[in-house]
Amino acid sequence: MMNEKDTFYITTALFYSNSYLHVGHAHEIVAADAMARYKRLRGFDVKFLTGMDEHGQKIEQAAQAAGRTPQEHVDYVAESVRELMRNLGADYDIFWRTTDPAHIAAVRKIFNRLYEQGDIYKGAYRGLYCTPCETFYTPRQLAAGRCPVCEREVCEIDEEAYFFKIGKYGQRLIEHIEQNPEFIMPKSRANEMLNNFLRPGLEDLCVSRTSFKWGVPVDFDPGHVVYVWVDALSNYAIGLGFMSDDDTLYKKYWPADVHIVGKDIVRFHTIIWPAILMALGQPLPKQVFGHGWVNIDGKKIGKSLGNAVDPNNPVATYGADAIRYFLLKEIVFGQDGNFSIEALVNRINSDLANDLGNLLSRTVGMVDKYFGGELPAEQAATDFDEDLRAVAARVAKSSEEHYDRMEFDQALAEIWTLIRRANKYIDQVEPWKLVKEEGKRDALAGSLYNLVEVLRIAAILIEPIMPGIPARIYEQLNIQGGEWSKAHNFGLAPKEIKVTKGNALFPRIDNK
Ligand SMILES: [Zn+2]
């Protein structure tokens, strides 16, 4: 029997149907997409799931305010998210929506099973509730009497509700987190979960609501709708067919290799979701990666601050590849970072136009000028080849290690040491002098071939982050791309390179 390919299952968090899209969403999308593309290049059998969290009181209210039915409203928002994904070049496999009838059916089954086995019971909820955040709080969780998340006023609530006995799984969760240091990334967030939530003990979790209708009705008690925890979090499994008639994908791809989520929902993904999975007897995701916030011009993004740049706009102006590069180079994945048009333009001009774009145009230009566009097979070495090749070999390996750990900024930094090394190689070799020297024609051809090879290797290495660029490089050099492993071999392109002059990869942008 043939070996089946290793699988890799990656998800973003679901996009909440009531939030406006901002650069922070773009950051999460491009990170997940870059990782999915990287694994595909490595030869993994990848599933990349993203989608929409479409139920809840806030959405019901937003739909009403917009003069739409809730379904019309979530359809409209889902289309805008798909549009952003398209514009960013996100190549997802599954776009899952919690209003999908298949989702609703599976959520009801999960809720029933947890109820039947005694993990969910009916009780009464008395306490404090933040409507916009749809979250219950104990008095000590409040910040100056207000919601600790959105700082709005909370209201007192007294209603019948179903509760999940999450505390049953607290000790197992603690052990799991302690024994699996890669389960919560960045690692600093693990202590926060252990010390702030798990070790003090988990209170039973309210998993139904009666205060609104827009949700999945509880099968056996239709006045209740299933609350977000069971409804939305379970999408990661249901999206693969868990609890459906056909769970082939679930059996093949679960558990998830990584859930990529914002740092504010790490808690839900590392405590509530794993506890639900434990109750259902299912394996836990291998990793939950909490990314940071993207600030705009140094300020937190806020609807009221009016600084929420629609990410579609810079994509339309500067292109998806430049935006993807910027978001993953400028912002350390896992930490907060900053977005500004000024910094973006600087990156485009220096890293993309000057370093990468120039390397290609210089290489193509010299093959054209010195050899009429076609390198001869007769090639010789120069004194500077060995170091260039050594840097290429090192960078292919180190960038791979950084991709594996989702250290995209460091992967790019490594790749750019190779690109800059190649530009320096041109200055060392001085092809404009070689062309005038007797008997140096072979060395001149060999040096230009080495530049082609650096471009070929760099194109493979940047493909996960800038998927639109490699084909344009290959086209001008008339060479083939290929899978990741080909970045580890220097000298794979045929010697007789026939170039075709093309447009600049990244035209310089006037700073004014
Ligand atoms: Zn709130």
Side-chain angles (χ1 to χ4, degrees):
M1 211 176 105
M2 268 179 64
N3 278 337
E4 285 204 42
K5 284 203 246 178
D6 285 332
T7 61
F8 185 78
Y9 179 39
I10 182 169
T11 75
T12 67
L14 293 183
F15 293 88
Y16 188 51
S17 281
N18 192 39
S19 58
Y20 55 100
L21 290 171
H22 55 67
V23 177
H25 293 116
H27 178 58
E28 179 165 326
I29 293 167
V30 302
D33 185 60
M35 199 58 189
R37 286 176 183 274
Y38 166 69
K39 288 289 181 177
R40 284 190 205 110
L41 267 181
R42 290 286 306 273
F44 283 77
D45 178 349
V46 173
K47 277 276 174 279
F48 171 17
L49 175 143
T50 185
M52 304 298 302
D53 169 10
E54 305 189 303
H55 289 134
Q57 189 167 19
K58 266 161 91 176
I59 291 164
E60 201 174 64
Q61 290 167 348
Q64 205 169 23
R68 303 185 185 111
T69 67
Q71 189 63 52
E72 284 166 353
H73 184 70
V74 297
D75 287 348
Y76 168 82
V77 180
E79 194 37 57
S80 71
V81 172
R82 281 178 184 275
E83 184 195 11
L84 176 61
M85 300 253 179
R86 266 198 303 277
N87 290 343
L88 288 167
D91 189 13
Y92 53 84
D93 299 292
I94 301 168
F95 190 86
W96 195 249
R97 298 179 56 182
T98 60
T99 52
D100 188 313
H103 183 81
I104 292 168
V107 166
R108 298 178 88 156
K109 282 188 195 168
I110 290 172
F111 200 94
N112 287 356
R113 182 185 287 183
L114 294 175
Y115 181 73
E116 281 157 16
Q117 69 190 31
D119 277 295
I120 284 178
Y121 66 94
K122 193 174 191 174
Y125 187 85
R126 280 173 213 92
L128 304 159
Y129 186 64
C130 175
T131 305
C133 293
E134 295 181 12
T135 305
F136 287 109
Y137 294 107
T138 60
R140 67 180 174 88
Q141 287 174 317
L142 298 183
R146 287 164 167 260
C147 170
V149 176
C150 72
E151 298 173 7
R152 289 187 180 86
E153 277 183 34
V154 294
C155 52
E156 279 197 45
I157 262 189
D158 184 353
E159 64 176 43
E160 209 180 61
Y162 287 89
F163 289 85
F164 173 49
K165 293 179 187 170
I166 191 169
K168 268 172 74 175
Y169 303 97
Q171 189 52 40
R172 269 180 70 192
L173 278 166
I174 290 171
E175 284 162 18
H176 185 81
I177 292 170
E178 284 173 344
Q179 287 161 13
N180 296 277
E182 312 255 289
F183 177 58
I184 304 178
M185 292 295 284
K187 287 176 185 171
S188 56
R189 303 203 201 286
N191 280 333
E192 189 190 336
M193 296 305 128
L194 290 168
N195 296 333
N196 297 0
F197 302 105
L198 284 163
R199 292 197 178 113
L202 297 169
E203 288 173 40
D204 290 354
L205 184 73
C206 186
V207 289
S208 78
R209 292 288 187 280
T210 54
S211 51
F212 61 93
K213 295 272 166 253
W214 183 241
V216 180
V218 172
D219 227 13
F220 48 86
D221 198 349
H224 290 256
V225 294
V226 177
Y227 189 52
V228 61
W229 311 128
V230 177
D231 178 8
L233 289 170
S234 58
N235 89 88
Y236 303 121
I238 298 174
L240 295 177
F242 178 60
M243 287 285 193
S244 78
D245 294 338
D246 182 0
D247 61 358
T248 319
L249 291 181
Y250 180 74
K251 283 186 173 133
K252 184 170 181 187
Y253 293 97
W254 192 261
D257 290 272
V258 58
H259 293 315
I260 291 182
V261 305
K263 63 181 180 181
D264 57 330
I265 54 174
V266 166
R267 175 161 68 99
F268 312 147
H269 285 78
T270 58
I271 297 176
I272 299 175
W273 174 226
I276 292 170
L277 286 166
M278 282 175 176
L280 293 167
Q282 301 300 311
L284 305 193
K286 291 177 199 162
Q287 187 172 89
V288 175
F289 198 112
H291 64 77
W293 299 148
V294 181
N295 297 319
I296 302 284
D297 298 322
K299 294 189 189 73
K300 199 177 167 190
I301 296 175
K303 211 174 198 171
S304 55
L305 297 173
N307 66 349
V309 176
D310 178 342
N312 291 294
N313 295 338
V315 172
T317 308
Y318 303 102
D321 291 300
I323 301 297
R324 292 170 64 109
Y325 175 84
F326 180 84
L327 289 172
L328 296 181
K329 177 69 181 79
E330 191 83 2
I331 301 163
V332 177
F333 194 57
Q335 297 178 19
D336 292 351
N338 192 52
F339 179 90
S340 75
I341 294 296
E342 194 191 348
L344 170 66
V345 168
N346 285 340
R347 283 279 179 203
I348 292 173
N349 284 342
S350 64
D351 303 4
L352 302 182
N354 204 40
D355 296 336
L356 176 59
N358 270 351
L359 180 61
L360 178 65
S361 61
R362 290 171 92 186
T363 303
V364 171
M366 289 189 289
V367 174
D368 192 56
K369 189 173 171 190
Y370 301 143
F371 293 99
E374 200 165 349
L375 282 185
E378 295 75 33
Q379 298 178 5
T382 79
D383 294 343
F384 308 100
D385 297 2
E386 205 176 308
D387 186 62
L388 183 71
R389 284 166 175 258
V391 172
R394 180 181 61 76
V395 164
K397 192 167 180 298
S398 61
S399 61
E400 180 175 309
E401 288 161 3
H402 289 306
Y403 270 118
D404 280 332
R405 295 194 291 265
M406 286 191 279
E407 295 161 351
F408 303 110
D409 64 310
Q410 293 183 62
L412 287 168
E414 282 293 288
I415 298 163
W416 254 253
T417 63
L418 174 61
I419 291 166
R420 291 184 182 126
R421 180 67 190 82
N423 277 317
K424 187 178 152 205
Y425 173 84
I426 299 175
D427 298 337
Q428 292 173 317
V429 171
E430 299 181 303
W432 47 91
K433 285 188 182 166
L434 285 187
V435 74
K436 292 175 188 160
E437 288 175 39
E438 198 71 35
K440 291 289 183 185
R441 197 167 166 78
D442 292 357
L444 175 62
S447 69
L448 297 184
Y449 176 81
N450 289 336
L451 296 174
V452 169
E453 273 299 278
V454 167
L455 282 159
R456 181 186 65 76
I457 289 167
I460 294 171
L461 301 181
I462 63 172
E463 186 175 329
I465 290 170
M466 293 194 281
I469 298 304
R472 296 179 55 199
I473 294 174
Y474 303 145
E475 196 186 349
Q476 294 199 30
L477 300 174
N478 287 294
I479 57 170
Q480 302 287 317
E483 72 266 24
W484 183 267
S485 62
K486 291 188 172 169
H488 287 284
N489 293 80
F490 202 100
L492 284 187
K495 293 282 176 191
E496 289 158 298
I497 294 293
K498 189 167 181 262
V499 300
T500 312
K501 271 188 164 178
N503 293 332
L505 279 186
F506 294 94
R508 282 189 67 85
I509 295 158
D510 190 341
N511 268 317
K512 290 145 213 149

